[in-house]
Amino acid sequence: RLQVFNAETAELLSHHQVEIKQEFPREGWVEQDPKEILNSVYECMEKTCEKMNQLNINIANIRAIGVTNQRETTVVWDKTTGEPLYNAIVWLDLRTQSTVERLLKRIPGKNKTFSKFKTGLPLSTYFSAVKLRWLLDNVEEIRKAVEDRRAMFGTVDSWLIWSLTGGPNGGIHCTDVTNASRTMLFNIHSLEWDPELCKFFDIPMEILPSVRSSSEIYGLMVCFLESGALTGVPISGCLGDQHAALVGQMCFKDGQAKNTYGTGCFLLCNTGQKSVFSEHGLITTIAYKMGRDKPAFYALEGSVAIAGAVVRWLRDNLGIAKTSQEVEKLAADVGTSYGCYFVPAFSGLYAPYWEPSARGIICGLTQFTNKNHIAFAALEAVCFQTREV
């Protein structure tokens, strides 16, 4: 999705969005095509510029571009050709369960929270380092590219910024502190990649992007748009999507929190300039850093993997509704689940359990239960998970 705002009034002037396909090559695997992600950005740029022309808004007035992205999703590409070396492995993908189990064996007492005070994160299938480890272990082409020093790793923001600033012709390979803090390779206190963690995961540091603040000029747009619009506009903002939502909701004070309901749902609470560590299964993350010389702010986060995705599942997998909107109507028609409960642990359970082997369950069924009750229980599951966080 691309949105254009008036910098003085914050009014939304124009926007365009396209849906990106998710691929499920095997059970528990979730992938996206990095080229399709990039092309969707170009398409949104073209279409939004066209809409602005129709509204008689001069696109030469666009002063800056910011990037916000789905976090943890892992891309490895070839810096000489600009081509991805494998599909992007999406944040809720579960293929790394065996990788996590293997890594746990190397930790004294199999302690999942061994790196918590450095990274703020438990060892989980969720974070980028284990996805990258899987790619290095399983994709010959990536292994070879690393040996030949052709490989670059990044989360989606890095892939986009590198491609938009020239790609193989001088593209800028960087990320911001919020996205870096989701990799499990980043020390959230020193704000640098951690050599010990890179060694633990056996990840070569030269493939990692440079880490910058969330608000500075990373590079200028090198335009591939047919219209040539936006060439030379600085890319000057970068935040992981949930951090961007915290900023967008103006949660700048210690203790202010937001919850965003998308595929999953994510409750972030600003803890100011101090990192707070939870004893109850929340993770510690960098909220934002608004400039090179500005301090980093931290947040506590409760991550829920499946929220809106359960509605999509009812529609696409069970076929109990033709549209997402219909699920709400089904639930409203009964107004209760009659004791039916739905735990949508499709990707294991995230906060506060961090249990990757958990699986979904619908229980409390009787002869009386029908699809309306299941729809109600699915929506209620989003509330229960949020309440728990």
Side-chain angles (χ1 to χ4, degrees), residues 69-84:
N69 59 290
Q70 167 180 293
R71 307 170 303 169
E72 297 94 19
T73 297
T74 299
V75 188
V76 180
W77 67 93
D78 185 320
K79 66 177 164 198
T80 54
T81 64
E83 291 296 312

Side-chain angles (χ1 to χ4, degrees), residues 362-381:
I362 301 175
C363 63
L365 303 176
T366 68
Q367 279 175 309
F368 181 69
T369 310
N370 61 30
K371 66 182 182 179
N372 298 63
H373 303 117
I374 290 171
F376 193 97
L379 297 181
E380 210 173 28

Side-chain angles (χ1 to χ4, degrees), residues 291-355:
R292 242 177 249 197
D293 308 319
K294 295 286 192 286
F297 281 69
Y298 294 87
L300 276 172
E301 173 173 325
S303 327
V304 170
I306 304 292
V310 73
V311 173
R312 187 189 271 190
W313 183 84
L314 289 177
R315 183 192 72 191
D316 297 347
N317 293 37
L318 284 198
I320 74 169
K322 288 196 174 60
T323 65
S324 301
Q325 287 78 358
E326 216 179 301
V327 173
E328 184 181 3
K329 191 182 174 322
L330 289 171
D333 285 348
V334 284
T336 170
S337 70
Y338 278 112
C340 170
Y341 290 94
F342 190 160
V343 182
F346 300 158
S347 299
L349 284 171
Y350 285 12
Y353 302 104
W354 302 105
E355 188 42 79

Side-chain angles (χ1 to χ4, degrees), residues 104-368:
L104 269 176
K105 287 193 182 116
R106 291 176 35 205
I107 301 164
K110 289 192 174 179
N111 178 11
K112 256 186 219 173
T113 60
F114 83 110
S115 74
K116 178 168 129 178
F117 294 107
K118 271 187 175 184
T119 65
L121 313 173
L123 183 58
S124 159
T125 56
Y126 181 25
F127 306 110
S128 312
V130 288
K131 300 180 196 305
L132 182 51
R133 185 64 257 151
W134 186 93
L135 288 166
L136 292 165
D137 289 338
N138 292 281
V139 183
E140 184 56 47
E141 210 177 333
I142 287 181
R143 240 195 330 261
K144 191 160 179 356
V146 170
E147 277 166 26
D148 300 347
R149 299 186 172 256
R150 288 181 288 112
M152 283 183 161
F153 152 79
T155 41
V156 173
D157 56 307
S158 298
W159 161 242
L160 291 177
I161 292 171
W162 183 81
S163 302
L164 294 171
T165 54
N169 307 308
I172 307 294
H173 188 213
C174 68
T175 188
D176 88 300
V177 290
T178 67
N179 281 295
S181 75
R182 316 296 296 190
T183 57
M184 272 204 103
L185 299 171
F186 188 67
N187 186 313
I188 60 173
H189 311 291
S190 67
L191 305 186
E192 288 173 342
W193 297 120
D194 190 288
E196 281 179 16
L197 286 167
C198 291
K199 201 170 162 202
F200 174 77
F201 288 104
D202 194 16
I203 285 164
M205 291 182 81
E206 63 269 14
I207 73 172
L208 304 177
S210 65
V211 184
R212 316 270 282 268
S213 76
S214 312
S215 177
E216 61 179 85
I217 292 177
Y218 312 112
L220 305 181
M221 269 286 284
V222 173
C223 214
F224 307 101
L225 302 186
E226 288 161 32
S227 61
L230 305 180
T231 304
V233 178
I235 299 177
S236 61
C238 179
L239 281 161
D241 53 7
Q242 303 308 326
H243 313 255
L246 189 77
V247 169
Q249 298 289 353
M250 308 275 283
C251 297
F252 294 123
K253 290 198 181 97
D254 192 336
Q256 290 184 323
K258 68 88 204 168
N259 198 27
T260 312
Y261 301 91
T263 303
C265 70
F266 300 86
L267 203 153
L268 272 73
C269 175
N270 189 333
T271 63
Q273 291 178 42
K274 58 185 188 300
S275 49
V276 176
F277 293 93
S278 163
E279 295 298 312
H280 303 281
L282 298 177
I283 61 185
T284 307
T285 196
I286 296 180
Y288 50 82
K289 183 181 190 293
M290 288 305 182
R292 242 177 249 197
D293 308 319
K294 295 286 192 286
F297 281 69
Y298 294 87
L300 276 172
E301 173 173 325
S303 327
V304 170
I306 304 292
V310 73
V311 173
R312 187 189 271 190
W313 183 84
L314 289 177
R315 183 192 72 191
D316 297 347
N317 293 37
L318 284 198
I320 74 169
K322 288 196 174 60
T323 65
S324 301
Q325 287 78 358
E326 216 179 301
V327 173
E328 184 181 3
K329 191 182 174 322
L330 289 171
D333 285 348
V334 284
T336 170
S337 70
Y338 278 112
C340 170
Y341 290 94
F342 190 160
V343 182
F346 300 158
S347 299
L349 284 171
Y350 285 12
Y353 302 104
W354 302 105
E355 188 42 79
S357 60
R359 288 295 174 268
I361 186 170
I362 301 175
C363 63
L365 303 176
T366 68
Q367 279 175 309
F368 181 69

